[in-house]
């Protein structure tokens, strides 16, 4: 499980990205890059990092299911992910 502070920090980033999305779009269209630099750093969508929705783990993220590989495996074994089953060959 990730630290609570890291999970909260990422949620704040997501909120800032949504808040400034329209303004960033307008400034980019105008080409006003000095005003764009004055916006908060965390309002840039490239600073976001995908995290597991269950544990908050930043690595091994499976974007289709929005969970980490460890949680994905556990849920798949329990049969809680529709259409996913353990394969063997």
């Amino acid at each position: 499980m990730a630290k609570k502070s890291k999970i909260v920090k990422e949620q704040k980033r997501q909120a800032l990205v949504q808040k400034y999305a329209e303004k960033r779009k307008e400034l980019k269209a105008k080409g006003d890059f000095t005003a764009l630099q004055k916006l908060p750093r965390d309002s840039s969508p490239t600073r976001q990092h995908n995290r597991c929705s269950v544990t908050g783990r930043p690595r091994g993220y499976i974007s289709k299911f929005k969970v980490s590989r460890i949680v994905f495996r556990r849920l798949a074994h329990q049969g809680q992910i529709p259409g996913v089953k353990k394969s063997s060959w």
Side-chain angles (χ1 to χ4, degrees):
M1 184 94 177
K3 290 169 65 175
K4 297 284 183 191
S5 59
K6 292 288 188 179
I7 296 170
V8 170
K9 191 173 188 176
E10 191 62 39
Q11 289 171 348
K12 286 182 182 179
R13 272 194 195 121
Q14 290 173 355
L16 273 176
V17 167
Q18 290 176 353
K19 180 179 176 182
Y20 287 100
E22 192 62 37
K23 189 167 187 169
R24 291 183 73 83
K25 189 176 178 182
E26 291 172 9
L27 290 174
K28 281 185 180 181
K30 289 180 187 176
D32 189 6
F33 298 109
T34 55
L36 194 63
Q37 284 181 333
K38 292 179 182 176
L39 294 177
R41 276 191 177 185
D42 284 342
S43 67
S44 174
T46 58
R47 289 179 64 96
Q48 287 181 323
H49 195 82
N50 293 325
R51 287 189 171 267
C52 175
S53 60
V54 178
T55 61
R57 181 181 166 86
R59 296 183 178 197
Y61 180 79
I62 301 173
S63 58
K64 184 175 180 181
F65 301 100
K66 299 194 184 329
V67 293
S68 68
R69 61 184 175 81
I70 300 164
V71 174
F72 175 79
R73 185 172 188 268
R74 189 181 73 222
L75 294 176
H77 280 301
Q78 293 172 354
Q80 295 181 355
I81 301 177
V84 176
K85 63 179 183 177
K86 187 171 186 271
S87 64
S88 60
W89 59 90

